[in-house]
Amino acid sequence: MHRMTSTQARRMRRPVLQAAIDAGARCTKADPDLFFRADGEPPATWQAQRAEAIRFCHGCPVRTACEELALRDGDGNNRVDDMVRGGRSGYELVARRELQTQRLKAAVTADEASDEEWKKLTAAAVKLNREARRMPTRSGGMPHQAELQRQQNQKITKLAAKLAVVRAARRARTGWEVAA
Ligand code: SF4
């Protein structure tokens, strides 16, 4: 896969960056816990884990796209050192964002203005996550819990399928359809 430079990533709109990540993210084959500090994880353990996660990201073909999206998404926190994304710790992301405030603001504004479909996709993903977290509850006259669970699973499957169709179309348009 062609590796994009940081300059190229900065010029791209969100759908292209996201499609690149969907197609080439190395972490899809990794333990997601590698990138996040566990509750109560001692600093020394986290430092070693963080270094390993950063090394892992630096072998990822879409690292620059991932870093750019992390910056646009506002990832990182200057008070809590607990994550790695795009080959950067949360602290590093905050520091880089502060150096590029104006550029990132313009990029986010352009993303929002140019991408109605992205807004729909985000809304669908939010809906899916909300549904997946919802506990089906019983009330008087309602069907048995197992039936409620079955109905919820059906709804989740339908939402996920809808999301997959939109994502596949986006990937195809942005030229990442083969790997995606
Ligand atoms: S740079 Fe790291 S976090 Fe981003 S897609 Fe690649 S492996 Fe995953």
Side-chain angles (χ1 to χ4, degrees):
M1 178 183 287
H2 165 73
R3 286 186 184 233
M4 68 176 80
T5 63
S6 297
T7 308
Q8 286 170 329
R10 288 174 187 191
R11 290 187 184 134
M12 287 175 179
R13 294 273 60 80
R14 170 179 282 278
V16 184
L17 294 169
Q18 187 63 59
I21 294 165
D22 288 348
R26 195 179 176 212
C27 48
T28 54
K29 298 183 185 76
D31 177 356
D33 289 345
L34 174 65
F35 303 89
F36 298 98
R37 185 176 185 173
D39 285 344
E41 185 172 337
T45 315
W46 168 242
Q47 274 166 24
Q49 182 185 328
R50 187 183 59 201
E52 190 191 336
I54 289 172
R55 264 196 309 278
F56 187 91
C57 286
H58 280 268
C60 174
V62 294
R63 193 199 67 73
T64 51
C66 183
E67 180 186 350
E68 178 62 17
L69 267 196
L71 291 171
R72 291 188 200 180
D73 286 347
D75 275 355
N77 183 328
N78 58 8
R79 291 186 305 278
V80 189
D81 177 23
D82 62 354
M83 55 144 330
V84 168
R85 186 177 168 197
R88 306 283 176 198
S89 69
Y91 285 168
E92 287 173 329
L93 287 170
V94 172
R96 292 178 86 81
R97 186 175 302 107
E98 282 171 3
L99 290 174
Q100 304 173 41
T101 311
Q102 288 309 316
R103 179 191 78 74
L104 287 165
K105 203 171 159 197
V108 170
T109 304
D111 282 345
E112 286 171 358
S114 68
D115 199 354
E116 273 305 310
E117 192 182 46
W118 167 252
K119 285 184 206 162
K120 282 187 197 152
L121 199 58
T122 307
V126 168
K127 207 168 160 187
L128 177 62
N129 286 338
R130 198 179 295 140
E131 188 60 36
R133 283 201 307 269
R134 191 175 66 81
M135 291 293 290
T137 48
R138 293 178 71 176
S139 60
M142 289 295 285
H144 188 269
Q145 186 74 17
E147 174 56 18
L148 290 173
Q149 187 67 62
R150 193 192 64 76
Q151 288 171 7
Q152 186 188 25
N153 288 346
Q154 243 178 14
K155 204 168 166 187
I156 290 171
T157 307
K158 270 191 198 158
L159 282 169
K162 230 161 119 182
L163 207 57
V165 169
V166 184
R167 279 203 177 123
R170 290 172 72 83
R171 287 173 193 163
R173 278 201 310 283
T174 45
W176 294 89
E177 70 279 18
V178 178

